Amino acid sequence: MARSSAPTTAEAGAWADVLVRRRHLHAAVLTPTGQWLVQHEPDGPVRVLAGPADVVELAAAIQHRIRTTRPRTR
Protein backbone atom coordinates (compact mmCIF):
# COMPACT_ATOMS: atom_id res chain seq x y z
CA MET A 1 0.00 0.00 0.00
CA ALA A 2 1.36 3.43 -0.91
CA ARG A 3 1.95 6.01 1.79
CA SER A 4 -0.12 9.17 1.81
CA SER A 5 2.74 11.25 3.22
CA ALA A 6 6.50 11.19 3.61
CA PRO A 7 7.89 9.63 6.81
CA THR A 8 8.61 12.13 9.57
CA THR A 9 11.71 12.39 11.70
CA ALA A 10 9.62 11.17 14.65
CA GLU A 11 8.52 8.06 12.75
CA ALA A 12 12.09 7.36 11.66
CA GLY A 13 13.25 7.82 15.25
CA ALA A 14 10.67 5.34 16.50
CA TRP A 15 11.75 2.76 13.92
CA ALA A 16 15.42 3.36 14.68
CA ASP A 17 14.75 2.84 18.38
CA VAL A 18 12.94 -0.44 17.76
CA LEU A 19 15.67 -1.71 15.43
CA VAL A 20 18.37 -0.97 18.00
CA ARG A 21 16.35 -2.35 20.95
CA ARG A 22 15.63 -5.57 19.04
CA ARG A 23 19.32 -5.76 18.06
CA HIS A 24 18.73 -5.56 14.31
CA LEU A 25 21.06 -2.54 14.34
CA HIS A 26 23.91 -1.74 16.68
CA ALA A 27 23.32 2.01 16.47
CA ALA A 28 21.17 4.60 14.71
CA VAL A 29 21.86 8.30 15.32
CA LEU A 30 20.13 11.36 13.90
CA THR A 31 22.60 14.08 12.92
CA PRO A 32 21.90 17.84 13.08
CA THR A 33 21.70 17.86 9.26
CA GLY A 34 18.78 15.40 9.27
CA GLN A 35 20.89 12.49 8.06
CA TRP A 36 21.00 9.23 10.00
CA LEU A 37 24.13 7.27 10.85
CA VAL A 38 23.46 3.54 11.19
CA GLN A 39 25.73 0.69 12.10
CA HIS A 40 24.76 -2.97 11.85
CA GLU A 41 27.65 -4.39 13.91
CA PRO A 42 29.75 -2.77 16.68
CA ASP A 43 32.91 -2.90 14.55
CA GLY A 44 31.14 -2.56 11.21
CA PRO A 45 31.09 0.37 8.84
CA VAL A 46 28.84 3.34 9.50
CA ARG A 47 26.25 3.92 6.80
CA VAL A 48 24.82 7.40 6.12
CA LEU A 49 21.12 7.56 5.32
CA ALA A 50 19.79 10.76 3.73
CA GLY A 51 16.68 11.15 5.87
CA PRO A 52 13.58 9.63 7.48
CA ALA A 53 12.40 7.87 4.32
CA ASP A 54 15.67 5.93 4.15
CA VAL A 55 15.32 4.82 7.79
CA VAL A 56 11.76 3.61 7.20
CA GLU A 57 12.91 1.85 4.01
CA LEU A 58 15.71 0.15 5.97
CA ALA A 59 13.22 -0.97 8.62
CA ALA A 60 10.97 -2.43 5.90
CA ALA A 61 13.93 -4.28 4.35
CA ILE A 62 14.92 -5.73 7.73
CA GLN A 63 11.31 -6.80 8.41
CA HIS A 64 11.13 -8.43 4.98
CA ARG A 65 14.41 -10.30 5.58
CA ILE A 66 13.18 -11.52 8.98
CA ARG A 67 9.87 -12.72 7.57
CA THR A 68 11.38 -14.50 4.59
CA THR A 69 14.17 -16.25 6.50
CA ARG A 70 12.17 -17.32 9.56
CA PRO A 71 10.95 -20.92 9.38
CA ARG A 72 7.19 -21.13 9.11
CA THR A 73 5.37 -22.94 11.89
CA ARG A 74 1.73 -23.90 11.70
Side-chain angles (χ1 to χ4, degrees), residues 4-30:
S4 60
S5 63
T8 64
T9 300
E11 180 182 3
W15 276 112
D17 185 51
V18 167
L19 293 172
V20 171
R21 264 191 293 127
R22 298 284 184 150
R23 296 189 171 114
H24 297 295
L25 290 176
H26 173 69
V29 177
L30 175 62

Side-chain angles (χ1 to χ4, degrees), residues 9 30-36 49-52:
T9 300
L30 175 62
T31 69
T33 64
Q35 295 177 315
W36 287 81
L49 303 180

